[in-house]
Amino acid sequence: MSARAVTDATFEQEVINNEKTVLVDFWAEWCGPCRAVSPILDQIALEHSDKLDIVKLNVDDNPALAAKYQITSIPAMKVFQKGEVVKTVIGAKPKPALEADLAAYLA
């Protein structure tokens, strides 16, 4: 399963109330680095679907959530466990670097 989109309306159910660890990719259509990291996140989502849910939140369409989580540059990825942010990753990175950043949640 590849990363799926979430919105203000679905964020609480998909992220906050999710039993699994969730990585939220904060992105926008116009952001080149966001588009570059998207297929990498889809690959990680497919390979680690048993341990990690990956969702994407468009910051232009959902500005309230972007503000709530203090998103000032994108791509920004936040890892949530039991509704709390436990890790933040800023910027597009190659797959090995992202997997290293997420190793504690993929093991």
Side-chain angles (χ1 to χ4, degrees), residues 10-11 19 23 26 30 38 47 74 83 88-89 93 100 102:
T10 61
F11 191 84
E19 293 292 313
L23 181 142
F26 293 87
W30 50 264
S38 184
E47 294 167 8
I74 53 174
T88 300
V89 179
K93 298 182 179 188
L102 300 173

Side-chain angles (χ1 to χ4, degrees), residues 5-6 8 16 26 28 34 43 57-58 67 69 82 91 93 99:
V6 294
D8 287 339
I16 303 302
F26 293 87
C34 298
Q43 278 186 325
L57 182 93
N58 185 313
Y69 291 103
K82 297 181 173 68
K93 298 182 179 188
E99 287 178 324

Side-chain angles (χ1 to χ4, degrees), residues 23-28 30-38 41 57 59 71-78 88-93 98:
L23 181 142
V24 180
D25 174 25
F26 293 87
W27 72 286
W30 50 264
C31 168
C34 298
R35 290 196 307 272
V37 81
S38 184
L41 291 174
L57 182 93
V59 296
I71 304 304
T72 55
S73 64
I74 53 174
M77 292 151 268
K78 292 196 178 274
T88 300
V89 179
I90 304 291
K93 298 182 179 188
L98 272 175

